[in-house]
Amino acid sequence: MITGINHLTFTVSNLNRSIGFYTDLLGLRLHVCWDSGAYLTAGDCWLCLSLGEPRPAGDYTHAAFSVSDDQLPILRERLGEAGVTEWKQNTSEGDSIYLLDPDGHQLELHSGSLASRLEALKEAPYKGLVWC
């Protein structure tokens, strides 16, 4: 049985640029890097950057990272100053920043949780919502 997400891997076109983006702007911790990749962590989330030819999803597919309520405004300002592109505006419960990494991978920085989302759905359910 699946017990959780083990790691995420993003293909990147420029390893040094992506390492800088994820460490300097987003605050991930770099553990190791080599000619064609790197391992970083965001809390308990393991992220692998793999050098290649990226083909980011053109749909709603994205990776969402948890951010505390007090850190999200700081990140929003830092990302704005760096000229990072936002691909969507938040319309759901919990504050979020939807941004693109240097290769166009869609990311979300989110300050809510599943529990807070489910609580919000009690007040404003999605069309066709079924509680299981």
Side-chain angles (χ1 to χ4, degrees):
M1 298 294 269
I2 294 175
T3 59
I5 295 176
N6 185 275
H7 68 278
L8 301 172
T9 298
F10 293 134
T11 301
V12 300
S13 61
N14 180 315
L15 188 59
N16 289 332
R17 177 183 67 184
S18 291
I19 289 171
F21 176 84
Y22 283 97
T23 59
D24 298 341
L25 281 177
L26 299 185
L28 275 69
R29 179 174 173 226
L30 178 64
H31 293 271
V32 296
C33 60
W34 59 98
D35 291 349
S36 62
Y39 292 152
L40 305 95
T41 53
D44 292 332
C45 179
W46 168 17
L47 179 67
C48 173
L49 302 177
S50 182
L51 192 59
E53 295 180 31
R55 284 180 236 137
D59 55 18
Y60 187 64
T61 300
H62 64 281
F65 295 96
S66 296
V67 177
S68 66
D69 288 332
D70 61 325
Q71 289 296 304
L72 201 61
I74 295 167
L75 278 168
R76 181 173 277 118
E77 183 175 338
R78 183 184 305 162
L79 295 167
E81 290 171 357
V84 173
T85 301
E86 289 191 44
W87 62 275
K88 179 184 182 322
Q89 294 298 309
N90 186 41
T91 59
S92 59
E93 172 278 330
D95 198 6
S96 289
I97 304 168
Y98 293 86
L99 63 139
L100 298 178
D101 84 350
D103 287 295
H105 296 292
Q106 296 176 160
L107 309 175
E108 177 184 0
L109 307 180
H110 184 67
S111 65
S113 66
L114 176 58
S116 63
R117 179 64 52 88
L118 293 175
E119 197 58 37
L121 288 175
K122 292 177 183 176
E123 299 297 319
Y126 301 145
K127 182 180 178 183
L129 180 75
V130 176
W131 290 94
C132 303

